[in-house]
Amino acid sequence: MIEIPLEGFLLTPVQKICKYPLQLAELLKYTHREHRDYAKLQTALATMRKIAMLINERKRRMESIEKIAAWQKNVEDWEGAHLLERSSELIYSGEVTKVNSNGWSQERMFFLFDHQIVYCKKDLLKRDVFCYRGRIDLDHCDVIPLEDGKDNQFNVTVKHAWKLHDTVREKWFLIHTRTDSDREHWLQAFQDERRRVQEDKENDFTIPDHVRQTAMNMKPKKFHPVKPGPGIQRKISQMPFPYQHEIMNNVPTRVALPRGVSRNEAVDGDNKKWAWLPFRNRKSKR
């Protein structure tokens, strides 16, 4: 056992919290079971382990709220309250099929946060961009697994499905996945969400107002493109006229071939095939 004076434990006790379980475990290891302090040491060890776990969990949660705020700002057509007003972590996410009231299937991305689900539609033109479509309050919601077959309420046949019943709005949601394992992952995620909400309630965990407001008002980071390597840098001679700088700044770094023209045709064809390229008559220095 490492010899540390008592003053070392009492000095800045917050920094020593993670070391207390190790020291108590060693002390319990060398304490006889018949000793009168053995049960108290067991209780102290369990308590300090729980405190250390709560500190790590709250630190992780504080870091996650910044990511949630940044994620929401990238979602288009957002409606309603801010996510951080009720949620503090993303528990699970994935692509599912949602059946609307008319029986039509819709591909949606479901994001399971604590207290609520947000579902979005993928943007067909922009990569990794989601469009807000709605949310479901999980504090007043029942999760009902379904057997494979026809659902009489929605009049459709589904597999690997479950229903969500919003008891406040009296609204039903029918969702199904591609495989049964995906459905089991979602059902387990719903249980984890309820468990974490209950733990937060027991531990009296809340996001401080100033932390929430700081994350909500945080400006999104600007995108900085990757600088080209030395192998693809190009030298530009001095250009005395301002319009020359403007022209060169508008030259694209990548030029896509027009539809209907293959690369072989563009390379082996005559000079007319290159008429669409900017500065086609300019000779590059080597």
Side-chain angles (χ1 to χ4, degrees):
M1 185 173 178
I2 302 176
E3 295 183 1
I4 300 178
L6 179 61
E7 292 80 4
F9 290 100
L10 298 180
L11 181 64
T12 60
V14 174
Q15 298 179 359
K16 303 294 183 180
I17 286 179
C18 294
K19 295 183 179 180
Y20 287 152
L22 301 177
Q23 298 295 331
L24 288 172
E26 287 293 320
L27 185 60
L28 185 65
K29 180 180 178 180
Y30 292 98
T31 302
H32 294 287
R33 292 181 177 273
E34 293 79 12
H35 196 278
R36 61 181 182 180
D37 294 331
Y38 188 84
K40 296 179 180 180
L41 284 174
Q42 284 184 319
T43 304
L45 177 59
T47 302
M48 291 309 303
R49 282 177 175 174
K50 184 177 181 180
I51 292 175
M53 182 185 65
L54 290 177
I55 292 175
N56 292 332
E57 176 65 18
R58 294 198 177 194
K59 181 181 178 182
R60 183 190 65 82
R61 196 78 67 86
M62 290 295 108
E63 294 173 353
S64 69
I65 64 175
E66 296 182 1
K67 299 179 181 179
I68 293 176
W71 176 83
Q72 178 177 326
K73 291 182 180 180
N74 292 327
V75 177
E76 297 183 349
D77 302 329
W78 185 270
E79 296 179 2
H82 198 284
L83 265 175
L84 294 182
E85 292 187 7
R86 297 190 60 198
S87 302
S88 60
E89 65 173 332
L90 174 64
I91 298 174
Y92 195 71
S93 65
E95 187 172 355
V96 300
T97 301
K98 174 180 170 291
V99 181
N100 62 14
S101 57
N102 296 325
W104 294 95
S105 297
Q106 301 171 333
E107 298 296 328
R108 294 289 182 262
M109 281 294 300
F110 269 45
F111 298 90
L112 174 61
F113 299 91
D114 51 321
H115 300 285
Q116 59 185 321
I117 287 180
V118 173
Y119 55 94
C120 304
K121 178 183 178 181
K122 282 187 176 181
D123 194 294
L124 299 178
L125 299 178
K126 300 177 183 179
R127 184 179 179 182
D128 297 333
V129 174
F130 300 101
C131 301
Y132 177 87
R133 285 295 178 267
R135 72 179 75 195
I136 304 172
D137 184 3
L138 294 178
D139 290 339
H140 306 91
C141 184
D142 297 328
V143 181
I144 307 171
L146 300 178
E147 296 182 356
D148 296 345
K150 184 176 181 179
D151 182 78
N152 295 326
Q153 182 180 1
F154 287 83
N155 197 26
V156 292
T157 301
V158 291
K159 296 176 64 176
H160 323 303
W162 70 90
K163 282 184 178 180
L164 297 176
H165 179 211
D166 190 336
T167 57
V168 174
R169 298 186 296 170
E170 282 300 326
K171 188 173 182 179
W172 290 81
F173 300 87
L174 176 60
I175 303 120
H176 62 92
T177 57
R178 296 179 180 178
T179 63
D180 188 63
S181 61
D182 291 340
R183 187 187 75 151
E184 293 302 322
H185 290 158
W186 274 105
L187 295 178
Q188 182 62 44
F190 285 122
Q191 296 180 6
D192 293 341
E193 185 271 339
R194 289 290 88 189
R195 176 180 55 81
R196 296 186 188 189
V197 169
Q198 183 64 28
E199 290 177 354
D200 290 344
K201 185 177 180 181
E202 294 175 354
N203 298 322
D204 196 21
F205 173 78
T206 56
I207 304 176
D209 292 337
H210 69 280
V211 175
R212 183 189 295 108
Q213 290 298 328
T214 301
M216 293 168 59
N217 298 330
M218 183 176 57
K219 295 182 179 180
K221 297 182 179 180
K222 295 183 178 180
F223 172 72
H224 298 283
V226 180
K227 296 182 178 180
I232 59 176
Q233 288 180 348
R234 55 184 179 182
K235 296 181 180 180
I236 300 177
S237 59
Q238 295 182 356
M239 295 174 288
F241 302 104
Y243 74 90
Q244 291 178 325
H245 291 277
E246 183 178 355
I247 292 176
M248 290 305 301
N249 290 332
N250 292 330
V251 175
T253 56
R254 291 185 180 181
V255 182
L257 289 172
R259 295 183 179 179
V261 179
S262 64
R263 291 184 179 272
N264 294 332
E265 292 174 348
V267 174
D268 298 334
D270 54 13
N271 294 331
K272 293 182 179 180
K273 295 288 188 2
W274 292 89
W276 57 276
L277 284 172
F279 304 98
R280 60 184 182 279
N281 295 325
R282 182 176 179 178
K283 296 182 180 180
S284 60
K285 296 181 181 181
R286 293 185 179 178

